Amino acid sequence: MERKVISVNVLVIRYYHAGLGDHYYTTDFSIFGNGRDGWAYQWVQCYVYATQVPGTRPLYRYYNSQNQVYFYTTNWNELGSGALGYAFPTIVAYVY
């Protein structure tokens, strides 16, 4: 039986900014690399899917420019297309 690859797992990198007391998660290492602009590389947090596969759901990343805070959720009903100062910029990945 031939196996079909549906999607490639990608890593999620965790950064920490001590001045802001905040974490930032990304699948794009080139954003902060080994660390810069106050963001320190911490570790690979987990692996996710770049495209949707059966049983996964979108991981949404919102951004609030007033307090410079990112918010991650799999629940669209929390902020929908944007609320409480958070704008909906992207689907980061797909997760179980």
Side-chain angles (χ1 to χ4, degrees):
M1 183 164 111
E2 184 178 330
R3 299 186 101 184
K4 182 179 177 183
V5 175
I6 299 173
S7 181
V8 176
N9 284 343
V10 295
L11 53 87
V12 175
I13 304 159
R14 176 177 157 155
Y15 293 92
Y16 180 70
H17 194 295
L20 298 173
D22 198 12
H23 291 94
Y24 182 78
Y25 299 88
T26 183
T27 57
D28 185 356
F29 184 77
S30 69
I31 292 177
F32 295 121
N34 287 319
R36 70 171 170 267
D37 301 330
W39 292 98
Y41 171 86
Q42 288 192 304
W43 53 70
V44 173
Q45 183 69 36
C46 62
Y47 290 85
V48 296
Y49 291 97
T51 59
Q52 193 159 27
V53 299
T56 63
R57 63 176 113 182
L59 176 63
Y60 303 105
R61 180 179 66 202
Y62 294 86
Y63 180 68
N64 186 320
S65 61
Q66 294 172 337
N67 57 15
Q68 300 179 351
V69 170
Y70 289 92
F71 179 75
Y72 299 83
T73 184
T74 57
N75 184 350
W76 174 261
N77 294 323
E78 285 188 81
L79 295 174
S81 60
L84 305 174
Y86 287 91
F88 173 64
T90 190
I91 294 173
V92 178
Y94 295 87
V95 298
Y96 284 104

